């Protein structure tokens, strides 16, 4: 094979290799570095470098280079028109410095060429749609006298055009990625309600439901442990609804003796029962035009449930001791910390009422199920109580970590009370671990159990290995101790602890 044919072959292989590398992924720096290595491996072009124009700073920066250190790479910055690289970008046409050592324009910024003579410097623009977006450069040693510079430039230009396509595709790819990230960020925390904290997925679901149902008159039921924010959410639904200007009436079905419940809810006429001196409106009438929250709805006595069902279906009822049917326009929100389905199964709650209430269920997560929100809540309450108490108390990182790790059985209510107490009681500017209530620092019952079982497990093992050693050594304590790698004194202590004594007849 003639020398030039061999070179043709290597050029084709190099081009093939470059297109393979650049098709592999969008890892810009890695793939361009690999491309520069191909220049060296196949075409005897050393220190290949790719410069791309930063659209913001209008500077050319090395994105990838072969045979340069990181430090040298970071030094390789040019302004448009500066040095050879800057000129090539500006003019948009290739430049060759046949002998680097004799060229004053050659800035050698990276400081990579100690011995400048004997090297040609080749530099071609990277162009897309006629516009220069960067520069590709490489060194060529003089010794190969039979290679024309023109041929080298032609090859570099082909590679530069492949790089141009790649760089543009990469840029689009990056932009799409960034847009996707932005969208995600916008979506996270997309739903917000005034004074209700929660960016966790679980709370975002709750907020989304609130936004979805608030316009309608649909009955909503809120499930969740005490202190999870059921009442807060019920109010949010009301104040975001077209009924916002009308009243929000809250009634806790568990808070009043059964005998008084009916008249509290539906009112009574004068003389309906002993003590009913005047007629009185019930909660449903007071909520007319607005919203009523029936809290702990599971505690409604079964005999009262049909009357609630009728209000829900017909929006009408009679006062206690009254004949006149009263019509109301009320939106009902129910809340419960109980498992209503279980109540239905046990016959404590009417199935028809359950289905009437369960139109839009919203499940409030326990605080321990959305721990990521704890720091936000801590910050929120810290600010709130600092303002209320005219203080500027902060929290150490360690104290925050303890709050974030605690189980919060009383949920947000417990956290809120804890923060209020801490701010009020704090004499200093900073709340430390030692200022926290003791129960926050104690391990939870689960953890205690775990540790206990670990301890007894270890003790069992210890006891049986001591017993084993004693039996093997015929209960000679000193021998057994040696076998176990402990002192005779220690074995005596352990034997006492585990109640180990040799059986009668043994030495
Ligand atoms: N996500 C939250 N952001 C801010 N405060 C909350 C949040 N959830 C609950 N709270 C506060 O915690 C306390 C208990 O909330 P509440 O709605 O009464 O709970 P529940 O009705 O489920 O027992 C209230 O003072 C409330 O303002
Ligand atoms: Mg409540």
């Amino acid at each position: 094979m003639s020398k030039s044919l061999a070179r043709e072959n290597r050029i084709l292989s190099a081009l093939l290799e470059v297109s393979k590398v650049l098709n592999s992924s969008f890892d810009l720096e890695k793939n361009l570095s690999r491309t520069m290595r191909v220049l060296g491996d196949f075409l005897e072009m050393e220190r290949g470098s790719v410069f791309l124009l930063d659209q913001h700073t209008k500077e050319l920066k090395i994105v990838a280079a072969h045979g340069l250190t990181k430090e040298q790479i970071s030094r390789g910055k040019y302004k448009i028109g500066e040095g050879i690289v800057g000129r090539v970008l500006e003019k948009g046409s290739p430049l060759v410095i046949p002998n680097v050592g004799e060229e004053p324009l050659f800035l050698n910024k990276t400081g990579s060429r100690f011995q400048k003579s004997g090297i040609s410097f080749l530099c071609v623009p990277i162009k897309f749609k006629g516009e220069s977006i960067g520069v590709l450069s490489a060194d060529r040693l003089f010794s190969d006298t039979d290679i024309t510079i023109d041929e080298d430039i032609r090859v570099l230009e082909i590679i530069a055009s492949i790089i141009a396509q790649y760089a543009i595709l990469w840029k689009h790819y990056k932009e799409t990625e960034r847009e996707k990230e932005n969208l995600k960020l916008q979506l996270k925390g997309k739903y917000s309600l005034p004074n209700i904290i929660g960016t966790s997925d679980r709370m975002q679901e709750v907020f989304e439901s609130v936004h979805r149902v608030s316009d309608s008159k649909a009955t909503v039921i809120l499930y969740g442990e005490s202190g999870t924010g059921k009442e807060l959410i019920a109010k949010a639904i009301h104040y975001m609804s077209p009924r916002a200007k009308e009243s929000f009436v809250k009634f806790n079905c568990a808070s009043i003796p059964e005998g008084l419940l009916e008249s509290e809810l539906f009112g009574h006429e004068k003389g309906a029962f002993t003590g009913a001196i005047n007629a009185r409106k019930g909660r449903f009438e007071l909520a007319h035009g607005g919203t009523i929250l029936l809290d702990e709805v599971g505690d409604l006595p079964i005999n009262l449930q049909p009357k609630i069902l009728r209000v829900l279906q017909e929006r009408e009822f009679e006062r206690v001791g009254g004949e006149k049917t009263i019509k109301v326009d009320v939106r009902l929100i129910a809340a419960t910390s109980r498992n209503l389905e279980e109540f239905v199964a046990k016959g404590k709650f009417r199935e028809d009422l359950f289905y009437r209430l369960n139109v839009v269920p919203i499940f409030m997560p326990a605080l321990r199920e959305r721990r990521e929100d704890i720091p936000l809540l801590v910050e929120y309450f810290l600010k709130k109580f600092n303002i209320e108490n005219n203080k500027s108390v902060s929290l150490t990182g360690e104290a925050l970590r303890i709050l974030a790790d605690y189980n919060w059985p009383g949920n947000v209510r417990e956290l809120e009370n804890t923060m209020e107490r801490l701010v009020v009681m704090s004499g200093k500017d900073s709340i430390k671990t030692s200022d926290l209530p003791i129960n926050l620092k104690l391990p939870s019952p689960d953890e205690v159990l775990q540790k206990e079982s670990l301890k007894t497990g270890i003790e069992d093992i210890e006891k049986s290995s001591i017993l084993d050693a004693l039996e093997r050594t015929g209960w000679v304590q000193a021998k057994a101790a040696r076998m176990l790698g402990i002192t005779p004194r220690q074995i005596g202590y352990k034997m006492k602890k585990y109640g180990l004594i040799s059986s009668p007849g043994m030495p």
Side-chain angles (χ1 to χ4, degrees):
M1 215 188 287
S2 78
K3 218 169 175 192
S4 75
L5 198 56
R7 171 104 186 142
E8 264 326 298
N9 263 337
R10 280 210 305 276
I11 290 171
L12 282 178
S13 307
L15 292 179
L16 187 64
E17 197 57 31
V18 166
S19 63
K20 254 200 258 170
V21 164
L22 294 185
N23 266 321
S24 65
S25 75
F26 275 127
D27 190 336
L28 183 82
E29 283 168 31
K30 186 176 124 206
N31 290 336
L32 288 181
S33 294
R34 284 168 66 193
T35 303
M36 294 304 99
R37 199 163 65 219
V38 172
L39 291 185
D41 291 352
F42 288 78
L43 305 170
E44 296 117 13
M45 293 185 190
E46 294 306 322
R47 284 185 281 275
S49 306
V50 178
F51 300 79
L52 288 177
L53 185 66
D54 185 316
Q55 295 297 339
H56 298 292
T57 61
K58 296 287 173 210
E59 244 180 3
L60 272 169
K61 277 190 212 148
I62 298 190
V63 180
H66 184 55
L68 294 189
T69 64
K70 276 225 164 73
E71 223 262 299
Q72 289 172 334
I73 287 179
S74 70
R75 263 186 276 152
K77 279 184 198 155
Y78 296 85
K79 300 212 167 44
I80 299 172
E82 184 192 16
I84 294 170
V85 171
R87 282 216 178 169
V88 167
L89 182 93
E90 192 179 43
K91 297 264 186 311
S93 47
L95 243 171
V96 177
I97 309 298
N99 189 343
V100 163
E102 291 160 12
E103 178 54 56
L105 253 184
F106 193 84
L107 299 176
N108 191 21
K109 272 207 183 180
T110 61
S112 59
R113 297 170 188 87
F114 293 114
Q115 189 197 343
K116 285 193 193 172
S117 57
I119 300 170
S120 315
F121 183 69
L122 314 178
C123 199
V124 301
I126 297 173
K127 284 185 177 177
F128 186 76
K129 288 188 179 163
E131 199 191 322
S132 299
I133 58 166
V135 171
L136 167 62
S137 74
D139 286 0
R140 192 83 164 91
L141 292 179
F142 276 134
S143 56
D144 290 29
T145 42
D146 56 335
I147 306 296
T148 66
I149 292 287
D150 283 355
E151 195 185 63
D152 281 338
I153 290 292
R154 188 176 59 90
V155 176
L156 278 185
E157 279 182 324
I158 296 170
I159 292 175
S161 78
I162 302 174
I163 291 175
Q165 306 271 349
Y166 181 72
I168 293 292
L169 273 178
W170 175 83
K171 203 174 138 207
H172 287 319
Y173 164 78
K174 278 285 157 192
E175 274 162 13
T176 335
E177 284 294 293
R178 206 170 312 130
E179 260 166 46
K180 264 204 286 191
E181 272 312 303
N182 279 344
L183 275 179
K184 254 196 229 158
L185 274 181
Q186 278 171 24
L187 226 53
K188 179 113 189 147
K190 176 179 178 193
Y191 295 101
S192 64
L193 295 171
N195 298 324
I196 307 186
I197 308 299
T199 57
S200 59
D201 290 348
R202 291 290 304 272
M203 282 308 280
Q204 285 295 303
E205 277 168 34
V206 169
F207 293 174
E208 194 194 336
S209 302
V210 171
H211 282 276
R212 228 174 325 110
V213 299
S214 53
D215 268 354
S216 75
K217 206 180 151 182
T219 303
V220 173
I221 182 159
L222 296 158
Y223 293 100
E225 290 175 17
S226 180
T228 49
K230 297 187 294 296
E231 189 176 331
L232 203 59
I233 291 295
K235 279 185 188 151
I237 293 172
H238 171 73
Y239 287 110
M240 283 171 58
S241 78
R243 309 172 162 255
K245 289 210 173 65
E246 306 297 328
S247 41
F248 175 84
V249 174
K250 178 200 148 187
F251 185 75
N252 188 332
C253 305
S255 67
I256 281 176
E258 212 179 303
L260 296 177
L261 264 179
E262 188 178 359
S263 90
E264 275 296 326
L265 281 173
F266 302 103
H268 58 78
E269 295 296 352
K270 189 175 171 179
F273 47 84
T274 0
I277 310 162
N278 294 308
R280 193 162 161 248
K281 281 185 183 177
R283 302 297 172 104
F284 275 103
E285 268 182 90
L286 293 173
H288 181 60
T291 306
I292 188 168
L293 167 64
L294 289 187
D295 206 355
E296 291 309 344
V297 76
D299 290 21
L300 267 182
I302 195 105
N303 62 322
L304 215 57
Q305 292 177 15
K307 206 161 170 175
I308 302 284
L309 189 64
R310 185 167 156 229
V311 181
L312 272 176
Q313 281 173 339
E314 327 285 349
R315 309 277 156 184
E316 62 177 41
F317 58 88
E318 287 90 32
R319 289 178 180 167
V320 175
E323 316 250 285
K324 195 176 68 183
T325 298
I326 295 167
K327 289 235 165 234
V328 282
D329 168 26
V330 174
R331 182 202 206 148
L332 192 134
I333 301 179
T336 182
S337 56
R338 316 288 196 111
N339 184 342
L340 270 198
E341 269 166 284
E342 216 169 79
F343 276 27
V344 171
K346 285 185 185 154
K348 284 198 215 163
F349 204 86
R350 289 179 66 112
E351 195 173 10
D352 48 7
L353 180 56
F354 170 72
Y355 286 116
R356 268 282 161 189
L357 292 176
N358 209 39
V359 184
V360 181
I362 296 180
F363 299 92
M364 301 300 299
L367 189 50
R368 62 184 171 280
E369 292 166 349
R370 53 173 185 117
R371 288 190 177 278
E372 56 192 292
D373 287 340
I374 294 178
L376 298 177
L377 283 159
V378 167
E379 196 186 323
Y380 171 77
F381 289 127
L382 202 58
K383 195 168 162 195
K384 177 180 164 187
F385 294 121
N386 268 329
I387 292 173
E388 272 181 26
N389 294 284
N390 201 12
K391 283 190 167 184
S392 56
V393 179
S394 63
L395 205 69
T396 64
E398 180 65 10
L400 175 62
R401 202 184 53 75
I402 289 180
L403 296 179
D405 280 349
Y406 179 59
N407 221 31
W408 300 110
N411 297 298
V412 185
R413 181 177 291 113
E414 187 185 2
L415 177 65
E416 183 175 13
N417 293 341
T418 303
M419 292 313 296
E420 179 167 24
R421 198 167 52 234
L422 283 173
V423 171
V424 170
M425 302 303 279
S426 171
K428 314 173 286 288
D429 282 344
S430 173
I431 297 169
K432 296 188 190 53
T433 313
S434 52
D435 303 320
L436 300 181
I438 187 76
N439 63 315
L440 261 64
K441 291 181 276 188
L442 293 176
S444 68
D446 277 358
E447 285 168 317
V448 172
L449 271 180
Q450 250 176 29
K451 276 194 191 136
E452 276 305 308
S453 66
L454 188 65
K455 194 171 155 222
T456 46
I458 290 169
E459 285 174 346
D460 284 348
I461 294 168
E462 191 178 51
K463 183 179 171 183
S464 65
S465 51
I466 291 173
L467 191 63
D468 183 54
L470 285 167
E471 276 169 357
R472 280 157 181 256
T473 56
W475 289 80
V476 179
Q477 286 185 29
K479 267 194 192 172
R482 215 175 311 129
M483 211 175 130
L484 292 164
I486 58 178
T487 65
R489 211 183 138 87
Q490 281 168 334
I491 203 170
Y493 164 76
K494 300 267 182 200
M495 285 171 70
K496 212 165 167 189
K497 176 177 170 189
Y498 296 124
L500 298 174
I501 33 165
S502 59
S503 25
M506 281 292 189

